[in-house]
Amino acid sequence: EWCWKDPSDESITLSTFVLDKFLDWIGKSVDEITTSDQHQLKFSLSLYTARMDFLQRDEGKMVDARVRSARKELKQAMEIFQHKLKAADAASTASESAISDGAAGNSSLAGTNTISSHPTTTGSSTDAPLPRYLQRHNQAALNLKANTEQLKGNIKKSLILCGEAQAANVTTNYDAMHYNNLAIVYATHGKAHLALHSWSKAIAANTKSLLEPDGTVSLDVTCKILYNAAIGSLQARNFLAAYECLGTCLQNSDIWRQRAKAWLRLGEACLGLWSMQQKQQGMEGSLGATGNSGGGSCGFAAIEIGG
């Protein structure tokens, strides 16, 4: 248990403290910080609070309140990122460039041929890239903001934010999640076939390499994408695609084999395939009775699950 000193109670522990009050306590502590890291801490805290609101948004009557709270925190996080973090980084880069230019000018007057360690920046290149973890946090904030717009039913704004998150990409395998997010937006607004097209792109874009150039490791999202694609296929009544996606997901993941919903959806796909087979056999039987057709079937033996 983690204990901390609180003005109202000196023996409060994390196990007996509600999460919202705990986050408020952290926020007050961050406000008292006067170092240069204050804006980064506020940005990270707002993003974390928004994520917690999303995790708790299914608690009955608290849905609207949690979503409103998440939108407020995300707005604050994005404002801090745009007006504090990026602005401060650009200013520091410009000052370093001015110092290096001055040093280069003095050295040229003295007749020496020294090379500056800080290259001269021109135009929009003064915006030096922020640390990768801050860029990933900004990307996460954009995706969460897109999720809030999706819940509101604002599909156009949600797609715009997904595009901004894609433009802020700093990872090697984000394309798969980008197409997955687009597919979810399409599927929740009745565009089932457009969603399936996006999921097919997500599956094709998913890479096997999870190691980033900076040495960090990304999460493997293959099974999540396959499961989402299976749900979308069930909505579009494409039971064969749903069966193949779920079969591949369950075959390659011990974790997903322990989830009851995955087996439930697989059973739903099997029932859908059986129903289609019965209808086809009924049609072939009626045609055969008139002498126009012999038979045939499209049973489960024709389905092969990729490893």
Side-chain angles (χ1 to χ4, degrees), residues 71-145:
R71 290 180 58 195
K72 178 181 177 182
E73 294 294 339
L74 289 172
K75 181 180 179 180
Q76 181 178 352
M78 295 171 70
E79 288 179 352
I80 293 174
F81 184 82
Q82 292 293 334
H83 302 296
K84 299 296 183 181
L85 298 180
K86 289 186 67 175
D89 187 73
S92 62
T93 304
S95 63
E96 290 179 0
S97 177
I99 293 174
S100 62
D101 290 343
N106 293 334
S107 62
S108 62
L109 292 175
T112 58
N113 295 322
T114 58
I115 299 176
S116 173
S117 60
H118 300 286
T120 303
T121 56
T122 58
S124 60
S125 61
T126 55
D127 294 333
L130 288 168
R132 289 175 63 90
Y133 76 93
L134 282 179
Q135 296 184 56
R136 286 196 294 265
H137 286 345
N138 178 49
Q139 188 180 50
L142 290 170
N143 281 323
L144 286 174
K145 182 66 175 177

Side-chain angles (χ1 to χ4, degrees), residues 16-33:
T16 59
F17 209 64
V18 295
L19 180 61
D20 293 336
K21 211 165 184 179
F22 175 61
L23 292 176
D24 290 340
W25 175 81
I26 294 182
K28 294 177 182 178
S29 301
V30 172
D31 291 337
E32 296 175 357
I33 296 176

